[in-house]
Amino acid sequence: MNDAVRPKLQDVLNSAQLSPVYDESGQFGGVKLTNIRPGGAFTGMPENSVCFELNGAKLDGVQRLPQALLSMGDGQTCLKCRQPDGTETLRCL
């Protein structure tokens, strides 16, 4: 594992509780953020936002997020998230 990535990955994983979300047909629909911690990667995002896209690719499982953070190294990762009111936002880590 790239040592430069580990703190960033920990920061993301520690900054909110990530839980899978499924649509009506049982398909994976994204990662829901709850217990968002002040000062973390998701600061300022509303509770229960659902992140469903990573760098333009649909998330297909809750493990995609840590895997992508590890594989991208020092590059930027941008998540497309839907807030509870339905607005979509891009959060780059």
Side-chain angles (χ1 to χ4, degrees):
M1 184 184 288
N2 181 337
D3 285 341
V5 175
R6 192 176 283 130
K8 188 170 182 177
L9 177 63
Q10 272 315 116
D11 179 50
V12 169
L13 296 180
N14 291 339
S15 61
Q17 191 171 336
L18 308 175
S19 51
V21 174
Y22 299 93
D23 65 18
E24 308 76 46
S25 62
Q27 296 293 308
F28 182 80
V31 178
K32 181 161 68 173
L33 307 174
T34 52
N35 298 323
I36 296 171
R37 194 171 48 93
F42 300 110
T43 300
M45 290 184 67
E47 286 284 316
N48 298 313
S49 292
V50 175
C51 297
F52 59 92
E53 239 180 57
L54 182 77
N55 291 343
K58 205 162 156 27
L59 285 172
D60 54 12
V62 79
Q63 287 305 314
R64 283 289 298 138
L65 187 51
Q67 285 168 1
L69 287 168
L70 288 175
S71 64
M72 58 142 209
D74 290 337
Q76 197 172 48
T77 300
C78 294
L79 286 166
K80 188 180 272 188
C81 305
R82 190 175 302 108
Q83 298 178 0
D85 66 3
T87 57
E88 290 185 1
T89 181
L90 200 61
R91 171 59 58 112
C92 294
L93 309 171

